[in-house]
Amino acid sequence: MSKSKSQQIAEKTIYAAFKILKEAGGEMRGKDVVDKIRETTVFDEYESHRYEKTGYIRWESIMHFYTIDCMKAGFLRKNKGIWILTEEGEKAIKLGPEKLLTTATKLYREWEGKRKKETVEADIEDFNEEDSSQVQKSIISQYEDEAFNGIRNYIISKNAYEFQDLVAALLRAMGYYISEIAQRGPDGGIDIIAYTDPLGTRQPRIIVQVKHRPNDSVSSDEVQKLAGTLKRNTDVGIFVTSGNFSKPAIKEARESREHIELIDFNRFTSLWQEYYIKMDDEQKNLLPLHPIYFLGSND
C-alpha cells in the first residue's frame, strides 16, 4: 500500500525531532526542535504550505499530529513547552523513520482501544471524524507551545531588576510580606527578604536569591552561596531563576542542611498562573495573562 504524503512528512519530521532531542541530551524546547528541523531539513512547496484555517505550516501541523501517537506510545513527553525523549523513544530511533512511526501509531491504537484507518488523508484539515480528537489535541498542543513561548519571550525581554519585581509580586500574591528588595549594586546574595506576617515576628524568615539568566543553568556553587546567607536556624532559602538548575544544583539543594527551595522558569510560570487571580491590577500588568479554554477530553 502506497504511503500518503502526510505519512511521508511525518516519518521525516518525527525521526528528525527524535535525533535532535537525543543530540541535545534528551530535552529541548519544542520551539527549538521545530526551528532546528526547519534549519536542517529541506521541504518542498507542498510541505511548506500554510493552512488558511489555522495559519500553521503543513509539515509542522502533521508533525504535531503524530507527536500525539509518540506520546501515547511512551516515546515522547511534553511539559510546559519542553519536549522530552524517553528511554523507549531513544531506542526507537534505531528502528529508522518508517518503522518508528508505524510502531508509535500501532502502540497508540492499542492504547486507544480502537482501530484507526490504515492511511491518513494528505491534508490534516481533511482528517476524518475518527481522527478529529487527535487533530484537536495536536492543534491545542501547538497553541500551548506558542503561548508558553510567548510568556518566555516576554520574561526574557525584562532586565534583571524587572524580573526581580516579578518574583516579589508573585510572593505577595502567595501571601508573603516583602520586607526588603535589593537595589542596584552588590546585594550579598540576598535579593528579597520576606516574612509570613506584616511585622516579621513569625518564623521563618525567607531569603530569596533571584537570577535572570534565561539560557543558563544555576550551578551547585550558587546554591551553596545561598545556603551560606541563611544565618538563623529557621531561615528558608528560595532560589528563583528564569533559566534552570543543573543536576548538581538540584542535588545540593535536596541534600542541604538548610531548607532550600528551587524555582526554575517552568515552576515560576506555573505559580504565576496559579496565583494570578489573587493579584491586583498593578501586579498582573507586570506579566499579563489572558486565559483561553478549550473543550477537553477524558483521555
Side-chain angles (χ1 to χ4, degrees), residues 88-105:
E88 292 79 7
E90 186 171 337
K91 291 177 181 176
I93 294 174
K94 298 176 182 178
L95 299 173
E98 181 178 359
K99 196 169 181 182
L100 188 158
L101 186 68
T102 56
T103 300
T105 302

Side-chain angles (χ1 to χ4, degrees), residues 251-262:
K251 184 174 184 291
E252 179 67 34
R254 186 172 58 244
E255 298 179 354
S256 175
R257 185 172 62 104
E258 293 79 11
H259 184 164
I260 305 289
E261 199 70 24
L262 303 182

Side-chain angles (χ1 to χ4, degrees), residues 110 170 176 236 258 260 271:
E110 291 174 357
L170 174 61
Y176 296 106
V236 170
E258 293 79 11
I260 305 289
L271 289 169

Side-chain angles (χ1 to χ4, degrees), residues 96-145:
E98 181 178 359
K99 196 169 181 182
L100 188 158
L101 186 68
T102 56
T103 300
T105 302
K106 179 176 180 292
L107 290 172
Y108 177 38
R109 287 173 182 166
E110 291 174 357
W111 174 88
E112 193 179 36
K114 66 178 182 180
R115 287 289 295 176
K116 290 166 64 178
K117 287 179 65 176
E118 290 296 331
T119 59
V120 232
E121 299 299 328
D123 218 349
I124 197 166
E125 292 176 317
D126 297 327
F127 280 135
N128 59 40
E129 186 176 347
E130 202 172 346
D131 294 318
S132 62
S133 175
Q134 189 170 347
V135 172
Q136 181 192 35
K137 290 175 188 175
S138 68
I139 291 174
I140 291 175
S141 175
Q142 286 180 274
Y143 284 150
E144 288 175 340
D145 282 353

Side-chain angles (χ1 to χ4, degrees), residues 138-163:
S138 68
I139 291 174
I140 291 175
S141 175
Q142 286 180 274
Y143 284 150
E144 288 175 340
D145 282 353
E146 283 193 9
F148 194 77
N149 287 323
I151 293 172
R152 183 170 186 268
N153 291 336
Y154 185 85
I155 291 177
I156 287 174
S157 71
K158 301 295 182 183
N159 63 40
Y161 293 96
E162 289 172 328
F163 182 62

Side-chain angles (χ1 to χ4, degrees), residues 17 22 91 151 168 179 186 209 240 249:
K22 181 180 178 182
K91 291 177 181 176
I151 293 172
S179 169
Q209 175 74 69
V240 186

